[in-house]
């Protein structure tokens, strides 16, 4: 099977790395990919906003399956574009139609969906310029802090959490006045949920579902969860407070009703659903749906899937996911993200990156390889560093070690690896528990350097108390 992954970040690197290990894989392509993916996939030039360029890449490379990394092409109807094209309609496609992508593309749609299907979420009121007074009245029924969300996609910046009511009213006016452009012509005002967040990932064929390993990400730039929000500075999986009892509530109250709701509403959905949840004293509430995997959660999650992801994706695309079984490693994964100085504000690009040789090509490093048997999917223990064929390890799992370096915002410039984004590299380490996985990730991160490099030193610390 030839597979094309769309996107160029750490998430797509992790998807590509995992799929590269599949026995079912013919050739793997990434559009546009990054220097990291080029070591185990063919990078195809092109802008993934350009549907005709994607079409050409699919036809030229005889692609059997397209896996979409980010939400934007989905919200803009890429799946519908494939369905309407005779030459593309038989290509397996991982990602929902534009109507399914509304779960992420419109917060108002998502809230209505949850309300209609009895899925627990924060109380809300959706406001437009003509209902601003009602919005003010709703705000006055809430306790601080106040949560205001632009309805549409706003590059992850459309959520404001403000402490006092005067500021909340002002922010509401500003948002409806165009602060986030068209995205905030509608604003969802929400009750504040107090608790601890986690990310739950589901693969679905629209009828049945498979629950992937859960994760927790670290959104703030500063240690101790301080400072500005980012795309994510690190992740852990598993999440210690997401025990069997909690996950049963998540499955019964949220996952099953979500899939049933999609089917009932006639929304065809093949692909990933990322459910952002708040654990409020042991009770799960949905904060948001995303129609993609999370970043950097994917970099942790993929390393814990022992079974063949491509087989699961194929089953999802063919509507027979109920016959697939996921196998999840008992190991713990910790991902730490290195960012460029200044991020999430303005930052420089084109800074040379120094990586030790052991990180070349496919990126494996570590002293003690003897993690646990089974981690490479073949039942054997991977002890040797390898930078060779990533598929040498069978159908899944680690490529010969317990640490993987995923590229996010990197580029090659005159034969030199340089930074090209805010989030630059993600190091994921696996070990028998989160504490030792974190220690291993930091040990490996300390071998990497570039001018202005910054990373948080406290990833995983907060969840240790639940162990
Ligand atoms: P969203 O884009 O909806 O995920 O919101 C971004 C972040 O804002 C979330 O990851 C939460 O940390 C926070 N957030 C969103 N909605 C709420 C809420 N109702 N209560 C508390 N925090 C929230
Ligand atoms: N890490 C959060 C996200 O991908 O949206």
């Amino acid at each position: 099977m030839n597979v094309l992954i769309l996107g160029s970040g750490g998430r797509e690197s992790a998807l590509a790395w995992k799929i590269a290990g599949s026995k079912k894989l013919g050739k793997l392509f990434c559009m546009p990919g990054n220097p990291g993916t080029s070591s185990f996939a063919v990078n195809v030039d092109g802008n993934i906003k350009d549907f005709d360029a994607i079409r050409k890449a699919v036809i030229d490379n005889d692609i059997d399956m397209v896996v979409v990394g980010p939400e934007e092409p989905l919200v803009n109807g890429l799946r519908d574009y494939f369905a309407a094209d005779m030459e593309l309609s038989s290509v397996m496609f991982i990602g929902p139609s534009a109507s399914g992508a509304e779960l992420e593309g419109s917060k108002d749609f998502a809230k209505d969906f949850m309300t209609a299907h009895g899925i627990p979420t924060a109380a809300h009121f959706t406001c437009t310029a003509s209902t601003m007074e009602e919005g003010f009245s709703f705000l006055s029924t809430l306790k601080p802090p106040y949560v205001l969300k632009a309805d549409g996609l706003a590059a992850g910046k459309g959520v404001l959490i403000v402490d006092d009511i005067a500021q909340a009213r002002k922010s509401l006016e500003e948002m409806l006045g165009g602060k986030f452009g068209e995205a905030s012509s509608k604003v969802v005002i929400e009750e504040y949920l107090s608790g601890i967040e986690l990310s739950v990932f589901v693969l679905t064929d629209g009828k049945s579902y498979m629950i992937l390993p859960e994760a927790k990400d670290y959104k703030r730039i500063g240690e101790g969860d301080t400072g500005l929000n980012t795309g994510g500075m690190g992740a852990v999986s598993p999440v210690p407070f997401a025990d069997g009892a909690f996950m049963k509530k998540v499955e019964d109250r949220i996952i099953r009703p979500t899939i049933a709701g999609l089917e009932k509403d006639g929304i065809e959905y093949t692909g990933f659903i990322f459910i952002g949840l708040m654990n409020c004293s042991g009770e799960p509430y949905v904060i948001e749906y995303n129609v993609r995997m999370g970043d950097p959660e994917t970099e942790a999650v993929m390393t814990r899937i022992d079974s063949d992801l491509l087989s699961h994706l194929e089953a999802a695309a063919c509507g027979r996911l109920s016959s697939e079984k996921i196998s999840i490693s008992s190991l713990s994964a910790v991902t730490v993200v290195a960012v460029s100085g200044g991020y999430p504000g303005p930052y420089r690009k084109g800074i040379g990156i120094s990586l030790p040789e052991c990180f070349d090509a496919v990126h494996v490093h570590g002293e003690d390889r003897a993690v646990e048997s089974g981690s490479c999917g073949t039942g054997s223990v991977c002890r040797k560093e390898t930078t060779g064929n990533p598929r040498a390890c069978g159908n899944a799992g680690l490529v010969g070690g317990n640490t993987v370096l995923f590229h996010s915002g990197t580029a090659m410039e005159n034969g030199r690896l340089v930074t090209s984004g805010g989030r630059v590299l993600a190091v994921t380490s696996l070990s028998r528990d989160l504490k030792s996985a974190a220690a291993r990730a930091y040990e490996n991160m300390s071998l990497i350097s570039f001018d202005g490099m910054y990373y948080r030193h406290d990833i995983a610390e907060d969840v240790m108390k639940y162990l």
Side-chain angles (χ1 to χ4, degrees):
M1 203 187 318
N2 293 342
V3 178
L4 173 66
I5 297 175
L6 299 180
S8 63
R11 166 185 45 218
E12 290 77 23
S13 299
L15 287 168
W17 172 82
K18 180 64 189 159
I19 290 172
S22 171
K23 281 185 181 142
K24 292 196 162 220
L25 184 68
K27 278 195 194 145
L28 181 60
F29 298 86
C30 291
M31 182 177 177
N34 63 38
T37 61
S38 70
S39 56
F40 48 90
V42 176
N43 286 347
V44 182
D45 269 347
N47 184 338
I48 60 168
K49 287 185 182 167
D50 180 351
F51 291 2
D52 293 340
I54 297 171
R55 178 181 196 277
K56 184 170 178 334
V58 167
I59 292 169
D60 288 353
N61 297 299
D62 208 7
I63 298 297
D64 302 294
M65 178 190 286
V66 172
V67 181
V68 185
E71 66 283 3
E72 206 183 311
L74 299 168
V75 173
N76 292 337
L78 183 60
R79 189 195 179 91
D80 312 82
Y81 172 92
F82 269 62
D85 186 312
M86 290 247 293
E87 279 186 86
L88 301 181
S89 57
S90 62
V91 174
M92 291 180 271
F93 193 99
I94 303 300
S97 60
S99 61
E102 282 284 88
L103 280 182
E104 178 165 1
S106 165
K107 306 256 185 211
D108 180 43
F109 176 90
K111 291 301 257 188
D112 283 349
F113 177 87
M114 288 184 262
T115 307
H117 301 291
I119 295 165
T121 187
H124 83 288
F125 176 78
T126 300
C127 196
T128 60
S130 62
T131 57
M132 188 136 55
E133 286 304 322
E134 289 164 60
F136 290 156
S137 305
F138 183 70
L139 275 173
S140 65
T141 67
L142 301 175
K143 292 198 199 94
Y146 304 91
V147 182
L148 303 173
K149 299 183 173 182
D151 174 57
L153 293 183
K157 297 193 169 90
V159 177
L160 300 183
I161 300 183
V162 287
D163 285 329
D164 75 271
I165 186 109
Q167 183 57 45
R169 289 169 67 108
K170 187 162 174 272
S171 298
L172 178 61
E173 275 187 76
E174 285 169 1
M175 288 173 87
L176 291 171
K179 185 181 170 107
F180 299 106
E182 187 51 32
S184 64
S185 60
K186 269 191 207 171
V187 173
V188 175
I189 307 171
E190 248 182 52
E191 165 196 21
Y192 182 82
L193 295 172
S194 182
I196 180 158
E197 282 180 70
L198 77 152
S199 307
V200 168
F201 301 98
V202 176
L203 174 66
T204 182
D205 58 11
K207 288 189 166 53
S208 49
Y209 59 86
M210 169 182 278
I211 304 176
L212 309 182
E214 78 286 352
K216 178 183 184 301
D217 84 333
Y218 292 78
K219 289 195 168 61
R220 303 294 195 91
I221 187 74
E223 283 162 21
D225 286 331
T226 53
L228 293 175
N229 255 326
T230 70
M233 297 295 294
V236 299
S237 179
V239 179
F241 59 79
D243 57 17
F246 180 79
M247 288 307 286
K248 182 164 183 343
K249 290 181 192 172
V250 172
E251 183 167 4
D252 291 347
R253 299 178 194 172
I254 295 169
I255 297 175
R256 206 171 297 127
T258 297
I259 306 302
L262 288 169
E263 205 180 348
K264 193 164 168 221
D265 292 352
I267 298 172
E268 276 184 43
Y269 200 114
T270 306
F272 298 108
I273 308 179
F274 158 5
I275 309 172
L277 290 178
M278 191 70 89
N279 174 349
C280 303
S281 311
E283 305 303 319
Y285 289 82
V286 178
I287 291 196
E288 62 165 351
Y289 287 112
N290 296 300
V291 297
R292 53 175 173 84
M293 292 294 291
D295 190 353
E297 291 97 323
T298 309
E299 291 93 302
V301 165
M302 288 299 137
T303 62
R304 294 192 59 234
I305 300 178
D306 278 346
S307 45
D308 187 336
L309 181 71
L310 187 51
S311 164
H312 303 329
L313 295 177
E314 182 186 26
C318 299
R320 50 174 176 75
L321 194 58
S322 57
S323 62
E324 288 284 296
K325 230 178 139 34
I326 188 168
S327 164
I328 297 176
S329 166
S330 60
L331 296 173
S332 295
V334 172
T335 299
V336 181
V337 177
V339 304
S340 202
Y343 174 84
Y347 53 82
R348 282 197 297 140
K349 293 182 184 175
I351 306 164
I353 301 170
S354 154
L355 293 181
E357 250 175 48
C358 51
F359 274 133
D360 69 350
V362 200
H363 49 245
V364 184
H365 183 77
E367 294 301 306
D368 165 22
R369 302 275 176 222
V371 278
E372 260 174 33
S373 65
S375 70
C376 79
T378 55
S380 63
V381 179
C382 298
R383 287 174 189 276
K384 285 217 177 107
E385 289 182 12
T386 169
T387 53
N389 176 5
R391 296 160 73 183
C393 249
N395 68 349
L398 284 180
V399 186
N402 50 38
T403 294
V404 189
L405 176 70
F406 295 113
H407 290 228
S408 297
T410 66
M412 291 305 283
E413 221 175 68
N414 304 322
R416 205 172 63 119
L417 186 69
V418 298
T419 67
S420 67
R423 291 191 289 175
V424 178
L425 294 161
V427 170
T428 298
S429 289
L430 280 168
S431 191
R432 53 191 57 80
D433 56 36
L434 285 172
K435 193 166 181 216
S436 50
R440 189 168 268 160
Y442 282 116
E443 190 189 313
N444 282 284
M445 189 58 105
S446 72
L447 303 172
I448 300 170
S449 64
F450 57 88
D451 199 23
M453 172 175 161
Y454 167 80
Y455 57 91
R456 276 179 60 164
H457 290 77
D458 64 344
I459 303 302
E461 261 176 31
D462 62 334
V463 292
M464 300 294 182
K465 62 175 181 269
Y466 298 100
L467 289 171

